[in-house]
Amino acid sequence: LYRALSLYLFLSAGYFLFMRRRSQHEANQRESTEAQTITVKNGRSTIIIDVDEIMWIGSDGAYLEIYTNEKKHVTLDSLKNIIETLPKNFKRIHRSTIINIDYIKELKSRGNGDYDVITKDQQKLRLSRNYAKPLKGVLL
C-alpha cells in the first residue's frame, strides 16, 4: 500500500511539473510570435509597416491614423483590434490614442490628473487620467 501511494505521489508530481513547463513554453512562444509588422490597406495598395517604426496611433471615427517617422497611414480598423496585435511597449493613453512608449520624450502635468505627452518629434498628445493609473509603473 505504501509503495502504491508513493508511486502515485511521484507520478502526480511529475505530471504537475510537466504541465507547468509546457504552459511556460507555450507562453514564451506566444510572446515571441507577437507582430513585428502590420499590414495596412490603403485604397488599392497594401503596405507592410514595421511596428518599431510606429510612433503613435490615433483614432478618427472608424479609421486609424498610424504615424511613423516617414508618413501617416490611414486604415479602416479599431484601436481595440490593433492593440491586441501590438507588442507590450504600445500603451493606450487616451480613448482615441495608442503610443509607442519608446518615442515619449516628456510628460507635463495639467494639474487635474491629465498629462500632456510630448513625443520625440515634438507632437503633443493627451494622457487621460483614466489611462494614467495603469501606466504609473511604466511612464510615471
Side-chain angles (χ1 to χ4, degrees):
L1 181 64
Y2 287 118
R3 286 183 189 172
L5 185 60
S6 298
L7 181 63
Y8 174 76
L9 288 174
F10 178 74
L11 291 176
S12 297
Y15 178 75
F16 174 75
L17 291 174
F18 171 75
M19 293 305 287
R20 187 172 169 192
R21 284 187 183 159
R22 183 175 166 189
S23 66
Q24 287 175 347
H25 178 70
E26 288 173 356
N28 290 339
Q29 279 185 330
R30 270 186 260 125
E31 282 184 15
S32 66
T33 59
E34 284 183 336
Q36 299 303 317
T37 60
I38 60 171
T39 56
V40 174
K41 293 182 181 179
N42 193 358
R44 294 183 181 181
S45 64
T46 301
I47 302 167
I48 298 173
I49 302 173
D50 187 15
V51 292
D52 294 332
E53 295 176 5
I54 298 173
M55 297 186 323
W56 63 280
I57 302 170
S59 175
D60 186 19
Y63 293 94
L64 293 180
E65 298 171 341
I66 301 172
Y67 292 87
T68 63
N69 289 327
E70 292 91 33
K71 64 186 268 187
K72 174 176 82 168
H73 305 278
V74 179
T75 186
L76 182 64
D77 204 351
S78 69
L79 287 176
K80 185 178 179 182
N81 289 340
I82 201 163
I83 192 83
E84 294 173 357
T85 63
L86 294 171
K88 294 181 181 181
N89 60 329
F90 284 86
K91 302 293 181 189
R92 197 153 183 182
I93 61 170
H94 193 268
R95 67 184 173 115
S96 63
T97 311
I98 296 172
I99 192 164
N100 184 345
I101 61 174
D102 298 334
Y103 284 94
I104 294 176
K105 178 182 176 185
E106 181 180 0
L107 292 174
K108 290 184 180 180
S109 176
R110 289 183 159 201
N112 63 352
D114 289 356
Y115 291 86
D116 287 329
V117 177
I118 311 298
T119 62
K120 290 183 180 178
D121 66 340
Q122 302 304 316
Q123 190 75 17
K124 190 176 184 181
L125 304 171
R126 187 172 184 176
L127 171 59
S128 171
R129 72 187 96 183
N130 295 331
Y131 294 98
K133 290 177 185 175
L135 294 176
K136 287 252 187 213
V138 178
L139 297 177
L140 306 175

